[in-house]
Amino acid sequence: MSNQAEVQGNQNIVIQEVSESSITINVDGESKEIRKELSELKELLKDYQSQMFEAAGKAFNIATVTEGNFDFVVDQSRTDKSLPEELRQDLITDRNRWIQSLKQELQKQRVAVPNNPSEIINYYGWLIEVFLQKMLTPPGQAGDLRSLSFMTEAWFSSIRYLTLIRLAELIKHEDTSQAGLLNAYFQLNGNPFDGQLAEESNYDYLNLLTSLAEVDAEPFVAEIGRFLDLLLDTESDLYATSLFLETQRNRLIRQEIKEAELPELIPQYLTGLTYWLRKLAFLAKYRLVSIKDINLSYRLGSTKSFVHLYGELHGMYDQAFSDSESGDYNTIIVDQYFTYNHSVLLFKGTHISSCLENIQDDSSYISLSPLLIDQSVFANKNTQTPEVFYYIGQSKRGRRFHFAQYKNELPLQGQTSLTSNKSLTVSVENTKQPKLNDLYEQMDAVLKPFKSAAS
């Protein structure tokens, strides 16, 4: 399933094969060959009065294809989607070697990296870290389909994380230049199908992320731009690795992977994932934080101070609930300044206390909410641990927004759902959790400009 609509119209236009200089296209059973140029593809689509074409089993709108991501899109139709040869020659088979490889790369970011594996992966933040933690558990090292799924979801979560950061930049700058592309994402059907996964679990984040590479909005995470430059290079190992990781995840979802493949496939996937995560080591220079509440402390003769109740979304809490009044949240007092309340923020910096003390500089952080939220800030309980959920789409009818918990696992062969997986539905009126009414209003306000611009 793609992040684009199904191919519309009378013509079924499919890219069949790609060479260094040409593209072979099938149009309703008839093969045509054109030069490997964006202008040529646009001209062919114009001749057939179509905006849509298929490549590598995905449907694309030509409006989302630019000179920057053209090769990335069409080269996916090449048949070879194996792990790059250089990586295959030195597969990771030792269960601890991948952690040490990440540690070495993290140290290049000039951060103090400990030896404890759990602390090493903390630098990637909860959205990625949770599946890396699962990989360290006995089920994660069992060599079965579930252990493979922990790896596939670590990769998929990393793509989602990068995309959410990029979307937050566009929302902050009110950049609706790619409204059509973004609206297709915002309009995902968030309702699971007959107990199966929602559309978002099959969403083509790779295409959305690369399609936004040339948007002019000032980047908050400058390293993402350099990462995308390498990813868009179809001769790079990163590009080939991304296609391998994506292909195997899609095979897992479609129940095409046999148990007999796993002894060979799992070391390959682990090696590719480790290489991918090494390229994301720049995330160590940022900290993900949930701001649960902000209170004013101000009396006659005193300075205005703002008490921020926050939870750092790096590392796993020892217990689900705490006996303290604030649960697993901490407090910091900042004079004169405050930041977004009830929001998940990404800060530049490695020490959260320094980050929060610098909130007078609004370029030092960005809000990933409302696409990424801490559900506990909308709950009625005083003692809570952060409960992070991400946006997965809307209801086609009924005006509801849907979110999924960041640590939800993939249902595997023979499973229709998992009882441990959690979701959240936000309606215009939420009688059980009235604070969610505010989240609904925020979602509606944030998405409206993109919906209007796409109309």
Side-chain angles (χ1 to χ4, degrees):
M1 189 176 296
S2 168
N3 59 321
Q4 306 297 332
E6 296 297 326
V7 174
Q8 302 294 319
N10 296 324
Q11 291 79 32
N12 187 25
I13 301 172
V14 181
I15 294 179
Q16 287 186 312
E17 188 55 67
V18 179
S19 70
E20 293 297 327
S21 59
S22 66
I23 302 175
T24 302
I25 299 177
N26 184 292
V27 184
D28 290 335
E30 180 183 356
S31 290
K32 296 179 178 294
E33 187 173 296
I34 63 173
R35 292 197 305 271
K36 189 182 176 184
E37 296 178 5
L38 178 57
S39 59
E40 289 275 318
L41 180 58
K42 285 184 174 180
E43 191 64 30
L44 181 141
L45 291 170
K46 183 179 179 181
D47 290 343
Y48 287 95
Q49 298 181 330
S50 176
Q51 285 286 104
M52 307 298 297
F53 68 95
E54 292 184 14
K58 307 173 187 178
F60 295 91
N61 188 316
I62 191 63
T64 70
V65 183
T66 67
E67 291 291 351
N69 72 347
F70 173 68
D71 285 343
F72 181 91
V73 170
V74 300
D75 275 35
Q76 292 182 48
S77 293
R78 292 186 176 182
T79 55
D80 184 13
K81 294 181 182 177
S82 59
L83 193 67
E85 178 62 28
E86 289 190 3
L87 295 180
R88 290 204 306 270
Q89 290 177 354
D90 191 18
L91 295 179
I92 297 176
T93 56
D94 183 271
R95 63 179 58 185
N96 295 316
R97 183 177 146 204
W98 66 276
I99 288 286
Q100 297 307 313
S101 182
L102 295 186
K103 176 183 177 181
Q104 182 177 353
E105 200 68 31
L106 288 167
Q107 287 175 331
K108 295 179 183 179
Q109 304 300 319
R110 299 185 183 278
V111 296
V113 185
N115 289 319
N116 186 298
S118 293
E119 294 181 16
I120 292 172
I121 62 179
N122 287 353
Y123 286 97
Y124 286 92
W126 273 17
L127 272 70
I128 306 172
E129 174 190 353
V130 62
F131 291 103
L132 303 183
Q133 288 278 7
K134 290 175 184 284
M135 287 167 56
L136 294 173
T137 64
Q141 298 175 354
D144 57 11
L145 289 172
R146 188 184 180 204
S147 61
L148 176 63
S149 76
F150 295 160
M151 300 179 198
T152 66
E153 297 321 283
W155 173 78
F156 193 67
S157 295
S158 73
I159 291 289
R160 181 194 294 120
Y161 189 16
L162 296 180
T163 305
L164 289 177
I165 294 171
R166 193 70 178 116
L167 291 176
E169 294 167 352
L170 299 179
I171 291 171
K172 178 180 179 179
H173 294 281
E174 299 181 350
D175 183 349
T176 60
S177 60
Q178 296 292 325
L181 178 62
L182 299 184
N183 199 45
Y185 162 72
F186 295 144
Q187 295 294 328
L188 282 171
N189 188 344
N191 278 325
F193 298 105
D194 299 325
Q196 298 291 331
L197 299 169
E199 282 186 353
E200 188 272 344
S201 64
N202 287 304
Y203 183 69
D204 190 358
Y205 281 107
L206 267 177
N207 182 56
L208 177 58
L209 185 62
T210 57
S211 297
L212 297 176
E214 296 181 359
V215 173
D216 292 332
E218 181 181 355
F220 175 75
V221 179
E223 294 90 345
I224 291 181
R226 294 190 287 273
F227 175 84
L228 289 178
D229 287 342
L230 184 59
L231 182 61
L232 287 167
D233 179 0
T234 56
E235 300 299 320
S236 72
D237 285 341
L238 186 64
Y239 171 78
T241 299
S242 71
L243 296 188
F244 169 77
L245 297 175
E246 180 188 47
T247 298
Q248 299 307 321
R249 182 179 184 273
N250 290 340
R251 291 185 65 223
L252 181 63
I253 290 177
R254 294 194 300 263
Q255 302 183 19
E256 295 175 357
I257 296 178
K258 308 301 182 184
E259 293 280 353
E261 295 182 59
L262 296 178
E264 180 179 353
L265 178 57
I266 284 180
Q268 290 189 28
Y269 205 95
L270 178 59
T271 302
L273 175 63
T274 302
Y275 177 75
W276 176 270
L277 292 174
R278 282 171 50 204
K279 299 302 180 182
L280 294 180
F282 60 81
L283 292 174
K285 296 189 288 188
Y286 299 83
R287 304 307 278 179
L288 197 59
V289 179
S290 169
I291 304 296
K292 180 177 175 66
D293 214 351
I294 303 174
N295 296 305
L296 173 64
S297 176
Y298 186 42
R299 289 175 292 277
L300 184 64
S302 69
T303 302
K304 287 183 182 178
S305 298
F306 295 92
V307 183
H308 292 70
L309 188 63
Y310 71 93
E312 188 172 0
L313 307 181
H314 294 262
M316 297 299 165
Y317 292 111
D318 293 333
Q319 51 187 359
F321 297 94
S322 170
D323 294 330
S324 66
E325 182 179 350
S326 60
D328 285 311
Y329 291 87
N330 300 303
T331 57
I332 189 169
I333 299 175
V334 182
D335 292 338
Q336 302 293 344
Y337 296 95
F338 56 91
T339 184
Y340 297 117
N341 198 9
H342 296 171
S343 298
V344 175
L345 309 181
L346 184 66
F347 283 90
K348 292 179 181 178
T350 57
H351 301 288
I352 190 57
S353 58
S354 299
C355 292
L356 286 169
E357 290 170 355
N358 191 39
I359 57 175
Q360 73 275 8
D361 179 7
D362 62 4
S363 67
S364 67
Y365 63 90
I366 193 169
S367 174
L368 303 188
S369 295
L371 300 179
L372 187 67
I373 65 166
D374 177 358
Q375 193 273 152
S376 72
V377 307
F378 303 101
N380 295 320
K381 299 178 182 178
N382 290 325
T383 56
Q384 283 282 320
T385 292
E387 298 180 38
V388 175
F389 284 69
Y390 56 87
Y391 177 76
I392 60 172
Q394 304 184 34
S395 293
K396 296 302 181 182
R397 290 180 290 181
R399 298 180 63 195
R400 294 187 296 274
F401 298 109
H402 298 274
F403 297 80
Q405 192 176 48
Y406 75 106
K407 57 185 177 181
N408 284 359
E409 296 183 15
L410 273 181
L412 299 175
Q413 293 173 328
Q415 297 175 309
T416 57
S417 62
L418 294 173
T419 57
S420 59
N421 286 355
K422 295 181 180 180
S423 61
L424 178 68
T425 298
V426 181
S427 307
V428 64
E429 183 62 46
N430 303 272
T431 55
K432 293 183 179 180
Q433 287 184 256
K435 291 182 180 180
L436 288 176
N437 295 347
D438 294 337
L439 176 58
Y440 180 91
E441 293 174 2
Q442 184 186 9
M443 283 290 302
D444 196 44
V446 164
L447 302 191
K448 186 172 294 183
F450 296 93
K451 181 178 181 180
S452 299
S455 301

